[in-house]
Amino acid sequence: MKVFLVAGARPNFMKIAPIYRASLTVPGVDCRIVHTGQHYDHEMSQAFFDDLEIPQPQYFLDAGSGSHAVQTAKIMVAFEKICESEKPDLVLVVGDVNSTLACSIVAKKLLIKVAHVEAGLRSFDLSMPEEINRMVTDAISDYFFVTEESGKLNLLREGRSVESVHFVGHVMIDNLLYQLENMKSVQGSTFNVQGLKAKGQYAFMTLHRPSNVDDKNTFLGIAGALNEIAKELIILFPVHPRTKKMMEQFNIHFSDNIKLLPPLGFKESLFLWKDAKIVLTDSGGLQEETTALGIPCVTIRENTERPITVELGTNVLAGTTKEGILKAYEQCFAKVRTASIPPLWDGKAAERIWEVIKNSFK
Ligand code: UD1
């Protein structure tokens, strides 16, 4: 059985790593990695392949950046060619980026089965490109692998059949636990941050969502809150290329206590945030990873498609105003005391996914 495992952007790489690794133990499965090239800078792509122990992709589509339409179209054209020549039995897509959308549409129109890992998540905010990607992918996929109860409920409400929805846990947490185990043997970081204090004495931050950084007033409000927090806590801030571009365009400055870093590889990033006092982020994945490790998290967004992190985990939704972020910052330390780890976030999601696929393709 030939399976194409698709990845294109940074958050995909953490998810395909455990799926690929687990595929090697499934008899009769020929799992091939397709990299769409949505992310292409060394630190956004190859650095992750190296850190996550993912082999070189069998297919590289070289799509690159562009408007949503251009990027999606380029991926579709290139992916169609390899699907037609290689005829996979199943296309497995992860997450909610443009590569997820593009490849699921192409496969489905060629009558190839599609499996969506991390299916069913909904922010109910259609101004978010990822929400459109999630909804379209889930409208046409054949197998849905969900990470939390809300994903299952959303899919059933949208008319997907009970048999097609599989609550398997979270492959990103598989990867996190695997990497943490490996990290135990590593002493220190190769990345020296000037002024970095001891464990638990700094904050770690990521910010890259278009709704936060492409609008000057929103970005200024967020920067104001962060500068305030930085009066009491050093903030380590690896800067995404989009954010860097917008900081320059809007002439936004951060206090000296906010240490601007280049985008970090997976291990470097984990090494820093796992010991942070608090994480501030607008990423999807970090909301979940902090919940898995019991680290306070302030999410700089109006909504989340990952409600379990707020209901059970350590996540506090802050909105995007200065006041909202400062209030969430005050609240989140208390929340950790009652937080717990969501069901099935135990490092075995990839195994469960292959079990389902194996049984379905008998
Ligand atoms: C994409 C995903 C988003 C995910 C994020 C993680 C979509 C719709 N969005 O957003 O869900 O959270 O990845 O990073 O798929 N760029 C570089 N080098 C690169 C890649 C991008 O400099 O290797 C710059 C380019 O100027 C590009 C911009 O970043 O135009 C945005 O890249 P793009 O992949 O379009 O979207 P992201 O904001 O990264």
Side-chain angles (χ1 to χ4, degrees):
M1 171 190 189
K2 196 188 283 179
V3 180
F4 275 2
L5 179 56
V6 175
R10 199 168 55 170
N12 291 163
F13 306 140
M14 286 79 106
K15 294 165 198 161
I16 66 158
I19 300 176
Y20 182 78
R21 222 174 352 260
S23 79
L24 300 175
T25 64
V26 188
V29 165
D30 170 12
C31 183
R32 302 185 181 185
I33 295 171
V34 180
H35 187 331
T36 66
Q38 177 175 345
H39 284 174
Y40 43 85
D41 285 347
H42 179 84
E43 67 267 27
M44 300 290 285
S45 178
Q46 189 56 49
F48 280 77
F49 272 66
D50 296 343
D51 272 3
L52 301 171
E53 303 164 31
I54 310 172
Q56 286 308 309
Q58 272 89 346
Y59 310 95
F60 183 70
L61 307 184
D62 203 13
S65 295
S67 69
H68 283 271
V70 167
Q71 188 175 64
T72 308
K74 275 184 172 169
I75 299 169
M76 288 178 73
V77 171
F79 190 61
E80 188 177 56
K81 284 199 183 105
I82 61 163
C83 282
E84 279 177 332
S85 63
E86 298 292 335
K87 302 195 181 351
D89 301 292
L90 176 72
V91 168
L92 211 153
V93 295
V94 298
D96 55 16
V97 302
N98 287 344
S99 304
T100 314
L101 170 78
C103 295
S104 58
I105 294 176
V106 166
K108 194 67 189 172
K109 288 201 172 181
L110 292 173
L111 307 181
I112 300 164
K113 298 276 188 213
V114 178
H116 185 201
V117 172
E118 213 188 30
L121 298 179
R122 296 289 179 270
S123 66
F124 304 103
D125 174 4
L126 280 164
S127 68
M128 207 183 165
E130 292 83 356
E131 182 72 355
I132 300 169
N133 295 344
R134 289 188 280 262
M135 289 176 68
V136 176
T137 303
D138 284 341
I140 58 177
S141 292
D142 300 280
Y143 304 95
F144 304 92
F145 294 108
V146 305
T147 54
E148 59 169 276
E149 182 73 11
S150 77
K152 189 173 167 181
L153 297 177
N154 291 330
L155 289 166
L156 296 181
R157 197 177 44 241
E158 290 170 16
R160 307 285 88 79
S161 71
V162 178
E163 300 74 44
S164 63
V165 180
H166 307 276
F167 180 26
V168 291
H170 204 337
V171 288
M172 205 179 52
I173 306 302
D174 291 9
N175 173 63
L176 177 66
L177 300 179
Y178 175 87
Q179 292 287 341
L180 276 177
E181 191 55 37
N182 286 354
M183 204 171 262
K184 279 186 187 157
S185 55
V186 181
Q187 295 298 314
S189 168
T190 50
F191 198 90
N192 290 315
V193 182
Q194 221 189 353
L196 179 61
K197 297 272 175 58
K199 284 182 179 183
Q201 307 229 344
Y202 58 88
F204 184 87
M205 182 175 91
T206 74
L207 192 76
H208 74 285
R209 253 175 227 293
S211 55
N212 281 341
V213 301
D214 289 2
D215 178 80
K216 187 174 181 181
N217 283 335
T218 308
F219 199 172
L220 276 173
I222 295 170
L226 298 170
N227 284 335
E228 204 57 41
I229 294 169
K231 286 180 185 165
E232 57 181 69
L233 207 54
I234 282 190
I235 302 179
L236 307 184
F237 180 16
V239 186
H240 185 281
R242 171 192 289 281
T243 311
K244 183 165 182 269
K245 198 161 68 184
M246 300 320 286
M247 277 168 65
E248 284 158 11
Q249 193 171 316
F250 298 148
N251 204 15
I252 288 180
H253 295 283
F254 288 101
S255 93
D256 288 347
N257 249 0
I258 299 183
K259 307 292 176 195
L260 304 182
L261 309 174
L264 302 177
F266 180 84
K267 283 186 175 148
E268 209 66 67
S269 169
L270 172 59
F271 189 85
L272 293 174
W273 73 254
K274 76 177 173 47
D275 292 331
K277 181 172 184 184
I278 178 173
V279 170
L280 302 136
T281 190
D282 63 359
S283 135
L286 260 176
Q287 294 174 54
E288 299 175 318
E289 291 178 311
T290 46
T291 274
L293 298 195
I295 294 172
C297 178
V298 166
T299 295
I300 306 174
R301 285 177 48 188
E302 300 294 344
N303 49 51
T304 178
E305 59 287 338
R306 300 154 207 272
I308 198 84
T309 60
V310 176
E311 287 156 19
L312 278 190
T314 60
N315 192 14
V316 178
L317 264 188
T320 58
T321 63
K322 183 175 174 182
E323 299 69 36
I325 296 166
L326 293 177
K327 193 167 154 217
Y329 175 71
E330 295 303 329
Q331 288 172 346
C332 72
F333 297 107
K335 185 150 199 224
V336 177
R337 291 197 279 274
T338 54
S340 61
I341 296 173
L344 298 189
W345 288 18
D346 59 0
K348 297 194 169 82
E351 282 171 38
R352 294 187 189 104
I353 288 171
W354 284 115
E355 196 56 36
V356 172
I357 293 175
K358 213 171 62 187
N359 291 335
S360 306
F361 280 78
K362 260 178 193 160

